[in-house]
Structures are given as structure tokens and as C-alpha cells.
Amino acid sequence: MDVNKLLAKLHADLPSENTGIVASYIPELAHAQRDKFGVHAVTIDQREFSFGDYEEGFSIQSIAKVLSLTMAYQRENKDLWKRVGVEPSGTPFNSLIQLEQDMGIPRNPMNNSGALVICDILLDYLADPKKDLLAFVQSLTGDETIYFNERVAASERETSDRNRALIEFMRSFGNIRNGTERLLDFYCSLCSIEMNCRQLSRTFLFLANDGVSLSGERIVSISMTKRLNAIMQLCGLYDEAGEFAFRVGLPGKSGVGGGIVALLPRDYCVAVWSPPLNKKGNSHFGMAFLEGFTSQVGESIF
Ligand code: GLU
């Protein structure tokens, strides 16, 4: 199969009009050009395929939550699950609604409350949290050009009332230990990581490769890899995780910058980027493209 040709054809098959809307609740994200589209796939034996704007950087936003989760999991192992659950939420990414019933324990580490708890845990471990986080992310591929977009981080910090509310609410249940501003600053930096599709698919390759990164380093055990992929499958696309499993059939994670990364264990990782989002906050064309991709290739985890 000529995969590059397939990627181009799948793009050509997308509807002519994109009904999605570019995220603007973080003002800096609104600058993304709505007609950008990129895709890049890398196999565990390091064959690479791409199409479109795959070398153009974008804000990976919530996709980065998988990377902070990996760091916390490395340090806490199964103790981690005392402070955050592994159940799909069925609620929007920034929802407060279940937290009261669940006594301040977020349903999963992929929604904002869960990711904030993960950041709180990391603040207790890391000597220089932002520097150590970026160093970890860069080490997955050996790519030192990956960076925090300071403008995006500042823009999110200024519009973080909802995340501030989540932090204080969880603090009232004893599930947050660090100061609010310090925690928010770390969380907003995490979400501001910028990558292009090529960097993103290569970064996530360790989850397709039994826990071993592109640089050949063991990041997590095979068992932990299974669990991280399970969390992505069940919780990675907000309250559209079921739809993504149904249509695409791969563990994946989306972000409000319009990126989606997905992987077939022991085979490949693919990253797609198209800024306009559907009503659930997932890339409208990204979802459609990946559905076409797994349908044409004829493989998924199911
Ligand atoms: N930084 C974003 C927020 O907290 C992440 C949202 C996302 O990509 O889902 O609102």
C-alpha cells in the first residue's frame, strides 16, 4: 500500500466545507488558521508517512496530559490511582459536576480536574517542574526544539477561572496540596507545548511500542503501557470517547488546538491536525480523517 497516497486521498475525500469552529476561549488559540491540515504517521520500525501541513507547529493542549500522566505514573505506580480514577466521565473536559459526588477524586486523568491532580503530584516530585517536564518530553524523541509557547500559556493563565475553580473545589476535599497559582502556571505550561504532527506522532510512539521510546529508552513497563492506552481509549476524547472508539477504533487523545494522536499497539502512531472543533471539542476533520484511515487500512484494536 502507498500510504502517502492514501493520506492525500483521504484528505481529498473530506467534505468541502468544515463546519467546525476554532477554539477561542483561550484567546491565543483563535489565531490558528482554520484551513490548515496536517497528518504524520510513524511505525515502530520507524517508517514515516505524511501529508499537508505536518511540519507546522500547533498547540497540543490536552494531548500533553498523557505525557504528564506518564511522568506521574513512573513515580507513583499504582498509588497514583488513589487520587484519580480511570473511568470515562461522559462529561465535558472542564466539568465540575461529578467532583462533588466523587468527593474530589476526578474520574480520570484526561479531563481537566484529573490533569490538575496529576500536575499537583508532579510538583511534589520535580526539582524544577517546567524544565524537568520539557526535558522529559524532548527525551522521548531527542528533539530539543519542542517548546512551551509562552504566549499560549499566558493567554490560558489569564482566562483560567474554571480551572481555578476546579483546583479550589478539589482542595476542599484534600486532593490538592500545592498553591493555586503555582499549580495553574505548571498546568498552563503543560498545555502550551507546541509540536507539529511529525513531532507528535514520534513522541507518542512509545505507547505503540510496548513502552519503549523512539530514542530506544524504556519509558514505562508493558503493563503500564497497556493501562495508559486503556485510559486513552476510554477517556481520551472527552465525552466523545465512545464515538471515537466506534468510528476510529484506536486509543487516542485530542486537544482543543485541533490535534489528535492515535495509535495501533505494536504497529504505528498517527497524529492529525485541523483546528476547527466539533461541538464536543474534538477536531472535526481529524475525527473524519482517522475514521477513513482505519477503515481503509482495515485494522483497529477491535
Ligand atoms: N488547556 C485547556 C484547558 O484547560 C485544555 C483543554 C483541552 O485541550 O481539552 O481548558
Side-chain angles (χ1 to χ4, degrees), residues 21 32 41 72 96 106 121 133 139 142 159 190 201 213 222 286 290:
I21 296 174
L96 280 136
I121 290 168
L133 167 68
S139 76
T159 51
L190 169 73
S201 63
S213 72
I222 291 179
L290 289 173

Side-chain angles (χ1 to χ4, degrees), residues 98-300:
Q98 286 164 340
L99 271 178
E100 182 162 31
Q101 239 174 3
D102 295 345
M103 305 294 284
I105 307 290
R107 282 282 161 107
N108 65 67
M110 300 286 99
N111 58 26
N112 284 14
S113 52
L116 287 162
V117 167
I118 295 296
C119 284
D120 190 56
I121 290 168
L122 285 177
L123 285 178
D124 287 341
Y125 277 104
L126 304 178
D128 191 340
K130 289 201 253 182
K131 194 165 152 249
D132 297 347
L133 167 68
L134 194 60
F136 169 72
V137 173
Q138 292 175 340
S139 76
L140 294 170
T141 53
D143 183 343
E144 291 180 5
T145 67
I146 295 169
Y147 70 106
F148 295 128
N149 183 324
E150 300 295 348
R151 283 211 314 271
V152 172
S155 179
E156 178 162 11
R157 271 196 310 270
E158 283 157 22
T159 51
S160 260
D161 294 340
R162 175 67 75 119
N163 287 328
R164 222 173 245 116
L166 287 168
I167 292 171
E168 300 305 355
F169 198 49
M170 291 190 288
R171 188 189 305 285
S172 75
F173 288 100
N175 200 17
I176 292 288
R177 295 172 185 163
N178 289 278
T180 302
E181 295 313 314
R182 182 164 179 250
L183 175 52
L184 256 187
D185 182 51
F186 185 49
Y187 172 81
C188 293
S189 293
L190 169 73
C191 294
S192 80
I193 292 175
E194 191 138 321
M195 290 193 200
N196 59 39
C197 290
R198 180 161 191 262
Q199 290 169 321
L200 186 55
S201 63
R202 288 162 63 93
T203 297
F204 273 70
L205 193 66
F206 74 99
L207 290 169
N209 194 30
D210 280 340
V212 176
S213 72
L214 190 104
S215 326
E217 201 188 328
R218 173 153 299 285
I219 306 301
V220 279
S221 67
I222 291 179
S223 162
M224 290 163 107
T225 307
K226 174 188 80 176
R227 293 176 201 281
L228 289 169
N229 284 331
I231 290 170
M232 284 208 292
Q233 183 74 66
L234 294 170
C235 318
L237 278 94
Y238 318 124
D239 44 340
E240 207 172 29
E243 180 83 10
F244 191 73
F246 184 71
R247 287 171 56 188
V248 178
L250 300 176
K253 182 75 198 89
S254 62
V256 292
I260 305 179
V261 65
L263 60 101
L264 184 61
R266 306 197 174 107
D267 202 334
Y268 68 83
C269 182
V270 58
V272 60
W273 171 55
S274 164
L277 310 178
N278 66 19
K279 288 201 173 73
K280 304 274 186 174
N282 295 312
S283 171
H284 181 50
F285 272 7
M287 294 266 294
F289 185 91
L290 289 173
E291 180 179 11
F293 185 70
T294 51
S295 305
Q296 289 288 319
V297 173
E299 280 175 353
S300 78

